[in-house]
Amino acid sequence: MDTPIADRYDRRAASRVLAGLAAAGLFAATEPLSPVRITFRATALRPEDGAALTQSQRMYLERFMRPCRPEQVTSATHRITWTDSAGIPNAGYFHTAGAGPELAIVARETVLTLWHSLAASGLPQRAVSDRDRAVLEATTTDHDPHEIFRVGVEAAGRALVQHGLIAADTPYGGIVEFARGMHTSGIFTAVATRWFWELQASTFRRGMIPVRFALQPDGSVRYTADSIAVLRAMKDATIADARAVMRRATTEEGLSVEAAVAKYHDDLDLISRQYALLPAGARPGCLAAVPHDVDGALVNVLALVADRFVETFAALAGSVEVVEDLTEAQHGTSDDGVFYVPDMSCRHCVRTITALLESMDIAVVEIDLESKRVIARIRSPRNRFRVFEALRDGGYNPVDEVPAQVPGASVG
């Protein structure tokens, strides 16, 4: 009989597994980077009348960010779409008073470069014991170690770009100085320890951020006391929601933990199954942020990723030419059942999009996370419109096809 999920769930053990894998060398050396030219399209966001937030942002705030108030949130001014050097569609946001569209585009090229570096390091081939794999499967959203690290790299880029919306709060000029300032100020660690996963991913997809910076005497920045308090309150509310679902299922309904997770998968997927399984009185810590002694050496996965990300970002910034495409956009596709979701970034997104389509009685044929392509049994343009509207309500930004890329050199 399989060991119950509650017995396999162990955040510290999962963190130790990842640290052990990282200790063997997380990233391979990268080759010199060739110049690349990336074009993007920008669309101004339209806040509701008399407000600073769009309807989607307000609805998400009211439903999932209690007790955060609208005035504690900064919204992007523009949404951008582009095709990266790997031919994959992307979506992002920027603020006209913030770091600009270059931040998101260079961050994406950094993610691609580090993904290649992860693969070249031999990480995908490293053996994981059956016991350690069982712990990861019970504790983490993505179970394969290579995929976990890939998601971690992308999360680092996402955190950097999202804080670009409030770059006006900082003394840093230019995207490289901003990235380095975020790193030396400990903002990557702040995101990992103070935020929770769904809040960071969902607010990023909606072009909003619920924190502000305070300048310190040494020139660094920190979250304001108000920001720290609201992040703590939102995290506590999410943990309470998750535990309430499990408590109701296991006591009032008499379900086992496994049966409760299966029955309330959608609820727990949204508010984090990981929090639902936390022991009473325990508070969650980011798996990557916990240091571990591995063969006499202290390994901190978060520090390894953040160091390499900022180093690579700085090296890439001068090689990526960012150009706005001002030509009229072309719309439409020959196949109603094929579209792309540029801001689909992890298995959680795949499950969310699958569940949404199936709730509309639309069968999903394939979702490819790498290319961001979705193939579904959508029978008409009208149904396609309904699907796109539902995805936008869920914080995603579907597009008809991969945006054309202006010819230029690619990263190689």
Side-chain angles (χ1 to χ4, degrees):
M1 179 181 293
D2 292 337
T3 305
I5 188 172
D7 294 338
R8 290 181 283 122
Y9 176 86
D10 188 332
R11 295 186 67 82
R12 186 162 186 84
S15 175
R16 189 163 49 247
V17 172
L18 299 178
L21 290 167
L26 194 53
F27 298 105
T30 55
E31 297 295 325
L33 304 167
S34 301
V36 59
R37 189 176 192 224
I38 303 290
T39 63
F40 70 92
R41 294 184 184 276
T43 305
L45 297 189
R46 296 182 178 178
E48 293 184 300
D49 291 342
L53 303 180
T54 67
Q55 181 185 52
S56 173
Q57 291 170 339
R58 176 184 58 79
M59 291 174 65
Y60 183 78
L61 173 76
E62 292 174 351
R63 187 174 180 189
F64 298 114
M65 294 175 65
R66 71 179 195 278
C68 186
R69 304 184 305 275
E71 63 270 21
Q72 295 174 298
V73 177
T74 299
S75 169
T77 58
H78 291 76
R79 176 177 175 266
I80 60 173
T81 56
W82 75 97
T83 301
D84 62 33
S85 61
I88 299 170
N90 289 266
Y93 295 90
F94 74 94
H95 196 293
T96 51
E102 295 85 0
L103 183 69
I105 293 169
V106 177
R108 174 61 184 178
E109 294 301 309
T110 304
V111 168
L112 293 175
T113 300
L114 293 185
W115 280 355
H116 288 306
S117 182
L118 277 174
S121 72
L123 174 65
Q125 289 77 44
R126 288 175 198 163
V128 178
S129 71
D130 291 342
R131 179 181 179 182
D132 287 347
R133 188 170 295 279
V135 168
L136 293 178
E137 289 177 353
T139 309
T140 61
T141 301
D142 294 281
H143 304 155
D144 176 71
H146 182 218
E147 190 64 28
I148 292 171
F149 284 112
R150 278 171 57 94
V151 170
V153 167
E154 191 161 23
R158 198 167 58 211
L160 177 63
V161 173
Q162 190 171 21
H163 286 78
L165 298 177
I166 53 172
D169 286 351
T170 77
Y172 312 124
I175 60 173
V176 172
E177 185 179 343
F178 178 76
R180 288 174 172 158
M182 292 297 95
H183 190 22
T184 57
S185 295
I187 300 305
F188 291 101
T189 300
V191 172
T193 55
R194 297 191 181 277
W195 294 59
F196 58 92
W197 178 266
E198 181 61 26
L199 175 70
Q200 206 272 319
S202 292
T203 52
F204 173 83
R205 289 198 304 269
R206 289 170 173 82
M208 56 197 292
I209 186 168
V211 298
R212 296 303 299 262
F213 285 136
L215 183 62
Q216 304 300 301
D218 63 358
S220 66
V221 293
R222 296 288 186 273
Y223 287 163
T224 63
D226 183 57
S227 295
I228 292 172
V230 76
L231 287 174
R232 173 67 179 258
M234 285 190 287
K235 195 170 190 177
D236 286 347
T238 298
I239 293 170
D241 285 347
R243 284 175 165 160
V245 171
M246 291 300 293
R247 183 168 56 251
R248 182 177 66 249
T250 56
T251 58
E252 296 178 17
E253 299 181 39
L255 300 176
S256 67
V257 172
E258 286 79 2
V261 168
K263 180 174 181 179
Y264 292 102
H265 179 271
D266 289 344
D267 301 75
L268 295 174
D269 195 40
L270 183 63
I271 59 178
S272 181
R273 185 191 75 180
Q274 285 76 15
Y275 290 171
L277 298 178
L278 276 173
R283 290 192 59 79
C286 173
L287 301 185
V290 180
H292 292 276
D293 185 301
V294 181
D295 297 330
L298 194 64
V299 177
N300 184 306
V301 173
L302 176 62
L304 291 174
V305 173
D307 289 349
R308 189 61 173 267
F309 193 96
V310 173
E311 172 191 326
T312 306
F313 180 93
L316 264 173
S319 301
V320 180
E321 180 185 3
V322 178
V323 180
E324 184 173 4
D325 183 358
L326 299 175
T327 61
E328 185 176 351
Q330 300 295 315
H331 300 285
T333 178
S334 59
D335 188 341
D336 288 325
V338 179
F339 60 92
Y340 295 82
V341 184
D343 33 19
M344 176 172 59
S345 60
C346 65
R347 298 295 172 190
H348 177 273
C349 295
V350 172
R351 288 197 296 271
T352 300
I353 292 169
T354 299
L356 187 151
L357 292 176
E358 290 178 347
S359 73
M360 301 173 70
D361 293 325
I362 294 173
V364 175
V365 177
E366 178 186 23
I367 297 183
D368 184 71
L369 185 57
E370 186 79 19
S371 67
K372 313 298 180 75
R373 185 184 66 183
V374 177
I375 303 176
R377 299 196 188 284
I378 302 174
R379 302 299 186 184
S380 69
R382 181 179 180 181
N383 277 349
R384 184 183 181 88
F385 177 81
R386 289 176 53 242
V387 166
F388 277 32
E389 286 299 295
L391 286 168
R392 292 187 184 106
D393 287 344
Y396 294 96
N397 296 282
V399 297
D400 289 326
E401 54 194 8
V402 178
Q405 188 175 13
V406 172
S410 61
V411 175

